[in-house]
PDB file of all heavy atoms in Angstrom:
ATOM      1  N   ARG A 154     118.030  76.926 138.038  1.00  0.00           N
ATOM      2  CA  ARG A 154     118.971  77.402 137.025  1.00  0.00           C
ATOM      3  C   ARG A 154     118.669  76.798 135.657  1.00  0.00           C
ATOM      4  O   ARG A 154     118.762  77.467 134.633  1.00  0.00           O
ATOM      5  CB  ARG A 154     120.392  77.013 137.431  1.00  0.00           C
ATOM      6  CG  ARG A 154     120.906  77.832 138.584  1.00  0.00           C
ATOM      7  CD  ARG A 154     122.271  77.335 138.994  1.00  0.00           C
ATOM      8  NE  ARG A 154     122.873  78.232 139.954  1.00  0.00           N
ATOM      9  CZ  ARG A 154     124.086  78.077 140.471  1.00  0.00           C
ATOM     10  NH1 ARG A 154     124.820  77.037 140.123  1.00  0.00           N
ATOM     11  NH2 ARG A 154     124.569  78.938 141.321  1.00  0.00           N
ATOM     12  N   ALA A 155     118.289  75.515 135.665  1.00  0.00           N
ATOM     13  CA  ALA A 155     117.993  74.835 134.393  1.00  0.00           C
ATOM     14  C   ALA A 155     116.785  75.475 133.698  1.00  0.00           C
ATOM     15  O   ALA A 155     116.786  75.731 132.496  1.00  0.00           O
ATOM     16  CB  ALA A 155     117.738  73.350 134.646  1.00  0.00           C
ATOM     17  N   GLU A 156     115.743  75.762 134.511  1.00  0.00           N
ATOM     18  CA  GLU A 156     114.553  76.400 133.928  1.00  0.00           C
ATOM     19  C   GLU A 156     114.886  77.789 133.395  1.00  0.00           C
ATOM     20  O   GLU A 156     114.395  78.203 132.340  1.00  0.00           O
ATOM     21  CB  GLU A 156     113.447  76.512 134.986  1.00  0.00           C
ATOM     22  CG  GLU A 156     112.751  75.190 135.297  1.00  0.00           C
ATOM     23  CD  GLU A 156     111.943  75.237 136.596  1.00  0.00           C
ATOM     24  OE1 GLU A 156     112.318  76.003 137.522  1.00  0.00           O
ATOM     25  OE2 GLU A 156     110.929  74.525 136.680  1.00  0.00           O
ATOM     26  N   LEU A 157     115.710  78.522 134.147  1.00  0.00           N
ATOM     27  CA  LEU A 157     116.093  79.862 133.701  1.00  0.00           C
ATOM     28  C   LEU A 157     116.839  79.802 132.367  1.00  0.00           C
ATOM     29  O   LEU A 157     116.580  80.604 131.456  1.00  0.00           O
ATOM     30  CB  LEU A 157     116.976  80.538 134.755  1.00  0.00           C
ATOM     31  CG  LEU A 157     116.240  81.112 135.966  1.00  0.00           C
ATOM     32  CD1 LEU A 157     117.220  81.498 137.058  1.00  0.00           C
ATOM     33  CD2 LEU A 157     115.397  82.326 135.559  1.00  0.00           C
ATOM     34  N   ALA A 158     117.766  78.828 132.254  1.00  0.00           N
ATOM     35  CA  ALA A 158     118.526  78.698 131.003  1.00  0.00           C
ATOM     36  C   ALA A 158     117.582  78.409 129.840  1.00  0.00           C
ATOM     37  O   ALA A 158     117.700  78.987 128.753  1.00  0.00           O
ATOM     38  CB  ALA A 158     119.578  77.598 131.137  1.00  0.00           C
ATOM     39  N   ASP A 159     116.587  77.523 130.091  1.00  0.00           N
ATOM     40  CA  ASP A 159     115.601  77.206 129.040  1.00  0.00           C
ATOM     41  C   ASP A 159     114.797  78.437 128.659  1.00  0.00           C
ATOM     42  O   ASP A 159     114.648  78.776 127.479  1.00  0.00           O
ATOM     43  CB  ASP A 159     114.615  76.136 129.544  1.00  0.00           C
ATOM     44  CG  ASP A 159     115.265  74.763 129.656  1.00  0.00           C
ATOM     45  OD1 ASP A 159     116.443  74.640 129.256  1.00  0.00           O
ATOM     46  OD2 ASP A 159     114.602  73.835 130.147  1.00  0.00           O
ATOM     47  N   ARG A 160     114.244  79.103 129.689  1.00  0.00           N
ATOM     48  CA  ARG A 160     113.304  80.197 129.417  1.00  0.00           C
ATOM     49  C   ARG A 160     114.000  81.406 128.781  1.00  0.00           C
ATOM     50  O   ARG A 160     113.416  82.098 127.961  1.00  0.00           O
ATOM     51  CB  ARG A 160     112.649  80.659 130.711  1.00  0.00           C
ATOM     52  CG  ARG A 160     111.882  79.568 131.435  1.00  0.00           C
ATOM     53  CD  ARG A 160     110.421  79.571 131.024  1.00  0.00           C
ATOM     54  NE  ARG A 160     109.624  79.035 132.117  1.00  0.00           N
ATOM     55  CZ  ARG A 160     108.775  79.756 132.835  1.00  0.00           C
ATOM     56  NH1 ARG A 160     108.594  81.025 132.587  1.00  0.00           N
ATOM     57  NH2 ARG A 160     108.087  79.193 133.810  1.00  0.00           N
ATOM     58  N   LEU A 161     115.210  81.686 129.209  1.00  0.00           N
ATOM     59  CA  LEU A 161     115.898  82.877 128.712  1.00  0.00           C
ATOM     60  C   LEU A 161     116.679  82.588 127.435  1.00  0.00           C
ATOM     61  O   LEU A 161     117.125  83.500 126.747  1.00  0.00           O
ATOM     62  CB  LEU A 161     116.861  83.418 129.775  1.00  0.00           C
ATOM     63  CG  LEU A 161     116.197  83.903 131.067  1.00  0.00           C
ATOM     64  CD1 LEU A 161     117.240  84.234 132.123  1.00  0.00           C
ATOM     65  CD2 LEU A 161     115.339  85.140 130.789  1.00  0.00           C
ATOM     66  N   GLU A 162     116.831  81.287 127.114  1.00  0.00           N
ATOM     67  CA  GLU A 162     117.560  80.887 125.905  1.00  0.00           C
ATOM     68  C   GLU A 162     118.940  81.528 125.837  1.00  0.00           C
ATOM     69  O   GLU A 162     119.303  82.132 124.818  1.00  0.00           O
ATOM     70  CB  GLU A 162     116.738  81.222 124.656  1.00  0.00           C
ATOM     71  CG  GLU A 162     115.452  80.400 124.607  1.00  0.00           C
ATOM     72  CD  GLU A 162     114.607  80.705 123.369  1.00  0.00           C
ATOM     73  OE1 GLU A 162     114.813  81.759 122.767  1.00  0.00           O
ATOM     74  OE2 GLU A 162     113.754  79.873 123.021  1.00  0.00           O
ATOM     75  N   VAL A 163     119.680  81.415 126.942  1.00  0.00           N
ATOM     76  CA  VAL A 163     121.078  81.872 126.919  1.00  0.00           C
ATOM     77  C   VAL A 163     121.967  80.683 127.278  1.00  0.00           C
ATOM     78  O   VAL A 163     121.538  79.777 127.996  1.00  0.00           O
ATOM     79  CB  VAL A 163     121.352  83.025 127.917  1.00  0.00           C
ATOM     80  CG1 VAL A 163     120.672  84.300 127.455  1.00  0.00           C
ATOM     81  CG2 VAL A 163     120.902  82.662 129.317  1.00  0.00           C
ATOM     82  N   PRO A 164     123.196  80.685 126.767  1.00  0.00           N
ATOM     83  CA  PRO A 164     124.109  79.579 127.081  1.00  0.00           C
ATOM     84  C   PRO A 164     124.350  79.515 128.596  1.00  0.00           C
ATOM     85  O   PRO A 164     124.385  80.549 129.267  1.00  0.00           O
ATOM     86  CB  PRO A 164     125.403  79.971 126.351  1.00  0.00           C
ATOM     87  CG  PRO A 164     125.039  81.067 125.405  1.00  0.00           C
ATOM     88  CD  PRO A 164     123.813  81.714 125.925  1.00  0.00           C
ATOM     89  N   ARG A 165     124.512  78.298 129.099  1.00  0.00           N
ATOM     90  CA  ARG A 165     124.594  78.095 130.540  1.00  0.00           C
ATOM     91  C   ARG A 165     125.757  78.855 131.215  1.00  0.00           C
ATOM     92  O   ARG A 165     125.547  79.463 132.267  1.00  0.00           O
ATOM     93  CB  ARG A 165     124.707  76.588 130.823  1.00  0.00           C
ATOM     94  CG  ARG A 165     124.155  76.206 132.177  1.00  0.00           C
ATOM     95  CD  ARG A 165     124.110  74.693 132.347  1.00  0.00           C
ATOM     96  NE  ARG A 165     124.172  74.364 133.761  1.00  0.00           N
ATOM     97  CZ  ARG A 165     123.117  74.354 134.556  1.00  0.00           C
ATOM     98  NH1 ARG A 165     121.922  74.650 134.098  1.00  0.00           N
ATOM     99  NH2 ARG A 165     123.254  74.045 135.827  1.00  0.00           N
ATOM    100  N   PRO A 166     126.947  78.899 130.597  1.00  0.00           N
ATOM    101  CA  PRO A 166     128.040  79.648 131.249  1.00  0.00           C
ATOM    102  C   PRO A 166     127.691  81.134 131.394  1.00  0.00           C
ATOM    103  O   PRO A 166     127.937  81.753 132.427  1.00  0.00           O
ATOM    104  CB  PRO A 166     129.219  79.465 130.280  1.00  0.00           C
ATOM    105  CG  PRO A 166     128.883  78.263 129.467  1.00  0.00           C
ATOM    106  CD  PRO A 166     127.398  78.220 129.364  1.00  0.00           C
ATOM    107  N   ARG A 167     127.083  81.705 130.348  1.00  0.00           N
ATOM    108  CA  ARG A 167     126.666  83.103 130.389  1.00  0.00           C
ATOM    109  C   ARG A 167     125.675  83.309 131.532  1.00  0.00           C
ATOM    110  O   ARG A 167     125.763  84.254 132.314  1.00  0.00           O
ATOM    111  CB  ARG A 167     126.034  83.466 129.036  1.00  0.00           C
ATOM    112  CG  ARG A 167     125.305  84.797 128.987  1.00  0.00           C
ATOM    113  CD  ARG A 167     126.302  85.944 128.988  1.00  0.00           C
ATOM    114  NE  ARG A 167     125.671  87.197 129.374  1.00  0.00           N
ATOM    115  CZ  ARG A 167     125.100  88.035 128.529  1.00  0.00           C
ATOM    116  NH1 ARG A 167     125.110  87.777 127.246  1.00  0.00           N
ATOM    117  NH2 ARG A 167     124.531  89.145 128.965  1.00  0.00           N
ATOM    118  N   LEU A 168     124.691  82.401 131.623  1.00  0.00           N
ATOM    119  CA  LEU A 168     123.672  82.507 132.675  1.00  0.00           C
ATOM    120  C   LEU A 168     124.313  82.450 134.052  1.00  0.00           C
ATOM    121  O   LEU A 168     123.976  83.254 134.936  1.00  0.00           O
ATOM    122  CB  LEU A 168     122.651  81.372 132.533  1.00  0.00           C
ATOM    123  CG  LEU A 168     121.573  81.385 133.630  1.00  0.00           C
ATOM    124  CD1 LEU A 168     120.615  82.537 133.437  1.00  0.00           C
ATOM    125  CD2 LEU A 168     120.824  80.059 133.688  1.00  0.00           C
ATOM    126  N   LEU A 169     125.244  81.504 134.238  1.00  0.00           N
ATOM    127  CA  LEU A 169     125.853  81.355 135.567  1.00  0.00           C
ATOM    128  C   LEU A 169     126.617  82.616 135.955  1.00  0.00           C
ATOM    129  O   LEU A 169     126.556  83.071 137.100  1.00  0.00           O
ATOM    130  CB  LEU A 169     126.768  80.124 135.589  1.00  0.00           C
ATOM    131  CG  LEU A 169     126.007  78.789 135.435  1.00  0.00           C
ATOM    132  CD1 LEU A 169     126.971  77.609 135.442  1.00  0.00           C
ATOM    133  CD2 LEU A 169     124.947  78.619 136.524  1.00  0.00           C
ATOM    134  N   ALA A 170     127.287  83.230 134.990  1.00  0.00           N
ATOM    135  CA  ALA A 170     128.006  84.475 135.270  1.00  0.00           C
ATOM    136  C   ALA A 170     127.021  85.567 135.691  1.00  0.00           C
ATOM    137  O   ALA A 170     127.243  86.310 136.655  1.00  0.00           O
ATOM    138  CB  ALA A 170     128.804  84.902 134.046  1.00  0.00           C
ATOM    139  N   ASP A 171     125.906  85.651 134.970  1.00  0.00           N
ATOM    140  CA  ASP A 171     124.902  86.670 135.306  1.00  0.00           C
ATOM    141  C   ASP A 171     124.282  86.396 136.676  1.00  0.00           C
ATOM    142  O   ASP A 171     124.034  87.317 137.457  1.00  0.00           O
ATOM    143  CB  ASP A 171     123.809  86.727 134.227  1.00  0.00           C
ATOM    144  CG  ASP A 171     124.244  87.552 133.012  1.00  0.00           C
ATOM    145  OD1 ASP A 171     124.917  88.579 133.224  1.00  0.00           O
ATOM    146  OD2 ASP A 171     123.916  87.162 131.879  1.00  0.00           O
ATOM    147  N   LEU A 172     124.031  85.117 136.966  1.00  0.00           N
ATOM    148  CA  LEU A 172     123.467  84.771 138.280  1.00  0.00           C
ATOM    149  C   LEU A 172     124.425  85.170 139.395  1.00  0.00           C
ATOM    150  O   LEU A 172     124.017  85.774 140.393  1.00  0.00           O
ATOM    151  CB  LEU A 172     123.153  83.273 138.348  1.00  0.00           C
ATOM    152  CG  LEU A 172     121.906  82.819 137.572  1.00  0.00           C
ATOM    153  CD1 LEU A 172     121.813  81.303 137.559  1.00  0.00           C
ATOM    154  CD2 LEU A 172     120.636  83.425 138.184  1.00  0.00           C
TER     155      LEU A 172
END
Side-chain angles (χ1 to χ4, degrees):
Chain A
R154 287 176 171 182
E156 285 164 330
L157 282 169
D159 288 355
R160 301 267 207 112
L161 297 172
E162 295 180 341
V163 290
R165 207 172 154 84
R167 169 73 198 271
L168 178 71
L169 293 179
D171 279 322
L172 285 172

